[in-house]
Amino acid sequence: MKTSSIVSLVLISSCLAIAQLSEHLGNFKQFQKTEHGVLITADNAKMLLTMYSPDIIRVRVVRGEFARDFSYAVVKSADGGFSNIEEDATGLVASTTTLKVSVTKNPLRLHFLTKDGKPINEDDAGLGIAWQGTDVTCYKKLFPDERFIGLGEKTGRLDRRGSSYVNWNTDHYAYSPKDDPLYTSTPFYIGLHDRLTYGIFFDNTYRTTFDFGASTDNQISSFSAVDGEMNYYFLGGQSVAKILEEYTYLTGRMSMPPYWSLGYQQCRWSYYPDAEVLNLARTFRQKKIPADVIYLDIHYMDGYKIFTWNPERFPHPKEMIDTLKSLGFHVVTIVDPGIKIENGYFAYDEGVKNDYFLKYPGGQPYIGSVWPGRCNFPDFTRPEVREWWGKSFIHLIEPGVEGFWNDMNEPAVWGQHVPDLVQADYEGGKSTMRQAHNVYGMQMARGTFEGTESLFHGDRTFVLTRAAYSGIQRYAAVWTGDNVPSDDHMLLAVRLVNSMGLAGIAFAGPDIGGFSGDATPELFQRWLSIGVYTPFFRNHKQNGMKRQEPWSFGEDVEEVSRAAINHRYEMLPYLYSAFFQSYQSGLPVERTLAIDYSFDEQVYWDQYQNEYLFGDNFLIAPVASTEEYDKVYLPEGEWYRYGSDKLYDGSTSVVVESPLNDLPVFVRAGGIIPLQSVVQCTRELPSDTLHLHVFFGKTGTSFMYYEDDGKTLDYKKGVYHKRIISFNPGQKQIVLHEAEGNFTTKFKTIDLILHNFKSVGQVAVSGKKMSLNADKQNGNIKHVVFENSVKEIVVKW
Ligand code: MIG
């Protein structure tokens, strides 16, 4: 993070190490074509340029021979080849249909250019790629107006220029808004300059460092690893959304999550015994505060032994969970990677018998102390171990657990980290924790996901993880670890989730209320109201801290909390459609304004950098719990304050009221927002009327509406209901296009709600004239109700 600490690290290491000058690529010697690209030989290194798509070029560089080609992150293979390769005395130009890769020869340097020759990203002319010992670094030219966004769960500003970051999954209890590294590593960032965009994914699981001009007087940005290959993917899509599509093409996208996991989730370390859990569930129902999930933190286990139940606290888990299910709740239990060393404990015995645990060179199992005491740790980088781990969830699934919370998987052990030389299989690569550390948690989540999905026989599973590496979105949702109850942290959490969305992780969220301490009632209310507009919506609190159920702060807060959570449930049709977008294109649910308004500099200003779009049409302006007014930047277009429908011009900032019961939320003019009636849990059917809100705007828009059974994997076989809804002010019509797929929608009736359609008094619905009913409170809101149909419905005014 801080330049000073980096400088001192460099000083220390250069004092201790034997003097060693850096080694460089040298000059170009020759090239040859390969199946999907070119192999270049330089004086001191080899470089492979490989095409994955016309916009995606992979760069591999080694001094000796290329190692085995293996990635935990990338799910796609090379595809296609350069359409043209030209060589002359000074260089080589390899073109795709959208990009040019120019290789200059003396010395060897790479330049990524647009088709018409504008530089998008270039190696630093002086340094290029260099090694020091096993360390490898790629130095890039820093453009004067260049900004950097992304890198996942990283503190600091939205625009990361001037900062540097380390990727090393770390259990960072009560991290400060400046600390680094945190729990996850997603070595992928997006660069922006001269209205050009690109992405760089450095697929190296060793400890990596990204320096965005922090240490070089604004001349160079760089990324480096302590070992392994220089192995990166250059993504050349010309918009942030396009780059996210490309990144998730490479590293995969999330599956549709179980519908219930979009609901409100209540957690605490820990709710126990069973009577308390049941009481909690009943209280939600009595108080009519919607909720879907109750978490069991570590106290549900017998002596913290994974896959066991505490016989005193939870003597009859199945009966308890059956009752919870009858109340419409789903249970998620925590699991840690540490397996207690105890003869007779089945998971330990099986692990020893089958040699499943991480070992020191020489064969002694690695021992670390965690909650259960001294533990061994499964080697999740071995397929058989993941399979065994996955199958063991039968002990939780039989009694009815439906979701699996993977904690401590950095992995965390008391007072230390697993020594680097501990050996890990690394998918047959026979490596050490130096390389495996950053993927350990992801592979635990993978074992959990694959095992539980197969135990559910065709139903969806839900996994939540703390540690992660790129590609984690294929297996799990991610929460942002042990945060702190403060306004700063609440706003940081927004940036973390926004930034994780820029790293392919669409299903993410923080501990609402702040984990490691007591929230003030004001902070809790504000945080909950932001949580409504967060993909993963969970309230969690550390043991020993005050209770933090929505009713724990007295009746006023309870009232506001109920209204906030009610709104989350009304929003489910809209939200589920946003998740579908992520599943299809990798666009996150929660989107920093830098995605759609990448070259609007105000988006990056400190006071506005936390703003985001939630789905296509809501703009959320998070604000501290202490602020009664908020200065909000509205990007281009026009925006309605949600709730009052007050209309604002965009491309300017406005000061608006921000009381605790009314977070500044805006709707894009032209925005289409489908809502349903309030339900107490996702299982409860809403009324059969879909409230389809359309906010008048000057330009046309469209919205992809999506529904499926929320439970099975049948959506992958076309069992869904999907339709485009478009608003066209020029043609004066709203069209619900013919629905696709063979799932029957829940909604028999459409209540079309027109906002600010000023002079419109009646409409024709598929040719039939119907009058509009003005809303009692706001005459500018008008309704028309008609029957839903899978056929096209045209509403004209
Ligand atoms: O050492 O399971 O981040 O959410 O409540 C702490 C107890 C272990 C850390 C997790 C937190 C969880 C807690 N865990």
Side-chain angles (χ1 to χ4, degrees):
M1 252 324 270
K2 285 139 276 157
T3 317
S4 59
S5 61
I6 287 164
V7 170
S8 55
L9 270 180
V10 170
L11 288 176
I12 292 165
S13 51
S14 59
C15 293
L16 296 179
I18 300 162
Q20 196 169 41
L21 297 181
S22 57
E23 291 173 66
H24 295 258
L25 294 167
N27 290 340
F28 175 102
K29 281 178 28 193
Q30 63 184 62
F31 88 98
Q32 73 198 66
K33 289 189 187 166
T34 61
E35 194 186 348
H36 300 288
V38 294
L39 170 65
I40 295 167
T41 310
D43 293 336
N44 307 318
K46 289 190 186 125
M47 175 185 281
L48 259 175
L49 300 178
T50 309
M51 192 169 123
Y52 280 62
S53 85
D55 265 354
I56 305 177
I57 309 295
R58 179 179 178 192
V59 180
R60 289 178 76 187
V61 187
V62 291
R63 282 172 297 183
E65 295 305 315
F66 288 101
R68 175 182 74 140
D69 189 18
F70 170 74
S71 170
Y72 278 114
V74 173
V75 292
K76 287 291 190 301
S77 331
D79 194 16
F82 292 111
S83 46
N84 189 35
I85 300 173
E86 279 169 38
E87 191 191 3
D88 64 19
T90 60
L92 184 82
V93 178
S95 311
T96 74
T97 50
T98 53
L99 287 177
K100 276 185 186 160
V101 191
S102 150
V103 182
T104 42
K105 288 186 171 173
N106 299 322
L108 178 64
R109 297 288 180 263
L110 282 184
H111 314 257
F112 294 94
L113 315 171
T114 60
K115 231 184 134 31
D116 53 0
K118 283 191 226 116
I120 308 175
N121 177 267
E122 301 185 275
D123 287 350
D124 175 70
L127 302 178
I129 290 170
W131 289 266
Q132 271 189 290
T134 61
D135 273 47
V136 60
T137 306
C138 181
Y139 296 91
K140 294 284 186 186
K141 171 180 174 176
L142 193 55
F143 289 82
D145 65 337
E146 195 162 19
R147 296 179 194 282
F148 301 92
I149 58 173
L151 214 63
E153 187 192 41
K154 293 294 179 193
T155 57
R157 305 181 58 239
L158 165 62
D159 179 359
R160 303 205 176 280
R161 180 160 178 156
S163 302
S164 94
Y165 298 90
V166 168
N167 287 312
W168 187 254
N169 294 354
T170 302
D171 174 10
H172 207 317
Y173 173 75
Y175 51 98
S176 87
K178 291 206 161 118
D179 281 334
D180 184 65
L182 300 185
Y183 307 87
T184 67
S185 296
T186 47
F188 170 62
Y189 71 88
I190 294 167
L192 311 154
H193 68 91
D194 298 294
R195 302 199 75 85
L196 298 168
T197 56
Y198 68 91
I200 285 187
F201 172 42
F202 182 25
D203 188 14
N204 179 314
T205 64
Y206 287 94
R207 181 192 290 263
T208 53
T209 302
F210 285 72
D211 188 312
F212 299 110
S215 320
T216 57
D217 190 27
N218 265 335
Q219 296 168 55
I220 311 177
S221 71
S222 66
F223 46 94
S224 58
V226 299
D227 207 336
E229 283 182 9
M230 178 46 62
N231 171 33
Y232 72 90
Y233 295 78
F234 174 83
L235 314 181
Q238 282 315 307
S239 74
V240 174
K242 189 90 195 298
I243 290 166
L244 292 177
E245 196 174 338
E246 290 166 356
Y247 174 73
T248 54
Y249 167 82
L250 276 181
T251 63
R253 301 186 180 124
M254 70 169 172
S255 307
M256 286 305 287
Y259 195 49
W260 58 261
S261 65
L262 275 58
Y264 173 72
Q265 318 202 9
Q266 184 68 43
C267 188
R268 179 178 179 81
W269 173 11
S270 312
Y271 290 119
Y272 71 88
D274 49 6
E276 178 174 340
V277 176
L278 291 167
N279 184 40
L280 178 74
R282 292 196 176 106
T283 309
F284 273 100
R285 296 300 176 245
Q286 274 153 18
K287 291 185 172 290
K288 287 211 167 308
I289 297 175
D292 264 82
V293 192
I294 294 179
Y295 281 69
L296 301 182
D297 204 328
I298 49 178
H299 290 95
Y300 80 91
M301 291 179 270
D302 181 14
Y304 303 123
K305 282 179 282 187
I306 310 307
F307 309 124
T308 69
W309 291 89
N310 185 297
E312 279 91 50
R313 294 171 185 153
F314 295 95
H316 306 293
K318 180 157 185 341
E319 280 83 335
M320 177 191 73
I321 297 176
D322 283 347
T323 310
L324 289 170
K325 283 186 176 168
S326 73
L327 291 164
F329 279 94
H330 305 264
V331 172
V332 176
T333 53
I334 197 167
V335 290
D336 292 351
I339 301 286
K340 186 180 177 69
I341 300 179
E342 183 183 283
N343 289 319
Y345 162 40
F346 68 94
Y348 174 71
D349 290 346
E350 288 171 19
V352 171
K353 186 170 133 233
N354 299 304
D355 194 17
Y356 285 156
F357 298 132
L358 291 174
K359 285 185 296 193
Y360 285 104
Q364 282 304 310
Y366 165 72
I367 297 172
S369 285
V370 222
W371 289 108
R374 295 169 76 241
C375 288
N376 288 156
F377 292 79
D379 181 0
F380 292 112
T381 66
R382 242 174 90 193
E384 315 83 286
V385 178
R386 287 196 300 271
E387 202 178 306
W388 160 74
W389 172 260
K391 282 190 178 140
S392 308
F393 281 90
I394 192 70
H395 301 286
L396 299 174
I397 286 179
E398 254 173 12
V401 175
E402 291 172 86
F404 312 93
W405 174 17
N406 289 201
D407 188 20
M408 305 288 277
N409 52 351
E410 294 70 28
V413 277
W414 299 155
Q416 50 172 313
H417 77 262
V418 181
D420 281 358
L421 54 49
V422 167
Q423 297 176 339
D425 184 63
Y426 210 84
E427 235 63 17
K430 306 289 175 226
S431 188
T432 67
M433 286 303 277
R434 196 158 170 256
Q435 187 178 20
H437 174 89
N438 281 341
V439 291
Y440 187 84
M442 177 199 195
Q443 295 311 302
M444 174 180 170
R446 175 185 181 183
T448 309
F449 176 83
E450 289 172 348
T452 57
E453 190 179 73
S454 101
L455 288 168
F456 283 139
H457 304 295
D459 280 351
R460 302 177 200 176
T461 186
F462 173 74
V463 180
L464 176 67
T465 184
R466 194 170 73 174
Y469 181 72
S470 293
I472 187 64
Q473 64 273 12
R474 308 197 296 268
Y475 312 122
V478 183
W479 98 103
T480 60
D482 297 343
N483 60 358
V484 176
S486 72
D487 280 300
D488 274 0
H489 240 278
M490 177 180 73
L491 299 175
L492 169 68
V494 169
R495 285 199 301 289
L496 291 176
V497 174
N498 286 350
S499 182
M500 287 155 94
L502 292 171
I505 303 170
F507 201 2
D511 287 347
I512 287 166
F515 175 75
S516 68
D518 298 325
T520 63
E522 293 76 20
L523 181 69
F524 175 73
Q525 282 180 77
R526 180 70 96 209
W527 208 327
L528 190 77
S529 73
I530 297 172
V532 168
Y533 299 98
T534 304
F536 177 63
F537 184 29
R538 186 182 74 155
N539 170 341
H540 181 36
K541 187 58 68 182
Q542 186 178 338
N543 62 340
M545 305 302 158
K546 282 197 195 137
R547 299 190 67 101
Q548 194 177 261
E549 291 81 61
W551 51 85
S552 304
F553 299 90
E555 278 178 21
D556 292 351
V557 180
E558 181 180 328
E559 178 90 41
V560 174
S561 303
R562 182 184 297 104
I565 300 175
N566 280 348
H567 181 52
R568 171 79 172 199
Y569 281 78
E570 281 174 345
M571 243 188 342
L572 284 168
Y574 173 81
L575 181 58
Y576 201 59
S577 300
F579 270 81
F580 179 69
Q581 254 181 328
S582 297
Y583 160 68
Q584 281 217 307
S585 72
L587 197 62
V589 174
E590 176 170 329
R591 310 173 189 160
T592 163
L593 295 185
I595 297 180
D596 283 10
Y597 309 98
S598 315
F599 296 102
D600 180 341
E601 67 159 309
Q602 298 208 46
V603 158
Y604 303 93
W605 291 10
D606 281 356
Q607 67 191 126
Y608 308 131
Q609 62 174 343
N610 303 323
E611 293 179 23
Y612 62 93
L613 296 179
F614 191 63
D616 290 341
N617 296 318
F618 280 118
L619 183 151
I620 317 302
V623 51
S625 62
T626 48
E627 302 295 329
E628 286 167 30
Y629 291 87
D630 187 22
K631 196 168 177 195
V632 176
Y633 179 68
L634 297 171
E636 67 183 347
E638 290 179 304
W639 299 87
Y640 294 89
R641 174 81 184 245
Y642 190 54
S644 75
D645 276 13
K646 186 167 179 205
L647 185 60
Y648 294 90
D649 281 332
S651 301
T652 183
S653 61
V654 293
V655 174
V656 297
E657 286 184 47
S658 56
L660 289 173
N661 63 358
D662 191 13
L663 181 74
V665 171
F666 297 82
V667 178
R668 179 198 298 285
I672 298 169
I673 297 181
L675 302 179
Q676 66 175 33
S677 62
V678 173
V679 286
Q680 295 306 304
C681 61
T682 54
R683 195 187 63 191
E684 182 186 327
L685 274 181
S687 87
D688 62 9
T689 300
L690 183 72
H691 305 283
L692 186 62
H693 293 257
V694 180
F695 291 77
F696 190 84
K698 290 175 191 137
T699 46
T701 57
S702 70
F703 181 84
M704 171 69 87
Y705 177 84
Y706 180 83
E707 259 183 82
D708 65 24
D709 67 23
K711 186 174 169 17
T712 72
L713 304 174
D714 294 350
Y715 68 97
K716 297 189 176 172
K717 296 176 252 155
V719 186
Y720 50 69
H721 169 88
K722 180 173 100 176
R723 77 186 330 167
I724 293 171
I725 302 173
S726 61
F727 160 71
N728 190 325
Q731 291 175 351
K732 298 194 169 185
Q733 63 181 26
I734 292 163
V735 182
L736 287 76
H737 295 266
E738 185 170 347
E740 263 180 55
N742 39 30
F743 179 76
T744 308
T745 169
K746 310 192 249 295
F747 301 107
K748 297 202 173 70
T749 305
I750 304 279
D751 169 22
L752 181 65
I753 306 173
L754 303 173
H755 294 251
N756 200 30
F757 283 61
K758 285 228 175 72
S759 53
V760 183
Q762 65 169 29
V763 291
V765 179
S766 297
K768 191 173 149 226
K769 286 210 172 110
M770 298 183 84
S771 45
L772 296 173
N773 294 319
D775 196 273
K776 278 185 213 91
Q777 270 133 47
N778 184 340
N780 248 338
I781 302 178
K782 296 164 191 165
H783 294 249
V784 56
V785 177
F786 50 86
E787 202 184 310
N788 196 3
S789 144
V790 294
K791 294 266 153 51
E792 181 183 80
I793 304 173
V794 180
V795 180
K796 279 193 148 296
W797 67 89

